[in-house]
Amino acid sequence: MNDYEQKLLENGFSAKDIGKLKSIIKRDESQTDSLKSLVLDLSKRFWGGVICIAIIASVFAYGIYKGHNESLVSYCIVLIIGVMIVYFVIPLNLAWKAHCFIRKNRN
């Protein structure tokens, strides 16, 4: 285990999280990403994921407020599918940990 992985472990990442990050790097055929660049990229994606979920939730709230009772089920389906897509495209738990790590170690 190198120093960067040790820093990640000390700042909230678990060994399982680091294993996931390494598997993502190994999947990349060009092998251009490193663990540092992946953590930085996840940190940047965090706010994009938060904004996407906020937009989906606001559409859901608008649908409940202005929509008909018959369309409530369709708004729920869209909310659930939208949040699942955002969660799988941007793993928010890893992105949150990466965001906190980058913010803490910015100096």
Side-chain angles (χ1 to χ4, degrees):
M1 187 172 290
N2 62 24
D3 292 337
Y4 195 74
E5 291 175 13
Q6 190 63 34
K7 283 176 81 173
L8 290 174
L9 281 172
E10 292 170 359
N11 287 293
F13 283 85
S14 67
K16 185 178 178 182
D17 294 336
I18 294 174
K20 285 181 187 177
L21 294 175
K22 285 183 177 182
S23 70
I24 291 170
I25 292 172
K26 288 178 184 175
R27 263 190 283 170
D28 184 23
E29 293 180 14
S30 62
Q31 296 290 326
T32 57
D33 287 337
S34 67
L35 197 57
K36 289 180 184 180
S37 64
L38 184 60
V39 169
L40 185 62
D41 187 44
L42 277 171
S43 174
K44 291 176 184 177
R45 287 183 183 197
F46 172 71
W47 286 113
V50 169
I51 290 170
C52 287
I53 288 179
I55 290 171
I56 292 169
S58 65
V59 168
F60 178 71
Y62 178 79
I64 289 175
Y65 181 69
K66 290 285 187 177
H68 301 287
N69 289 337
E70 297 84 25
S71 62
L72 183 62
V73 173
S74 60
Y75 279 113
C76 288
I77 292 170
V78 168
L79 173 75
I80 292 169
I81 291 173
V83 168
M84 285 175 48
I85 289 171
V86 169
Y87 183 79
F88 285 114
V89 170
I90 305 168
L92 288 176
N93 56 348
L94 286 177
W96 168 249
K97 290 177 184 181
H99 176 72
C100 291
F101 175 76
I102 295 295
R103 190 177 61 195
K104 188 182 225 182
N105 295 308
R106 189 172 284 167
N107 298 337

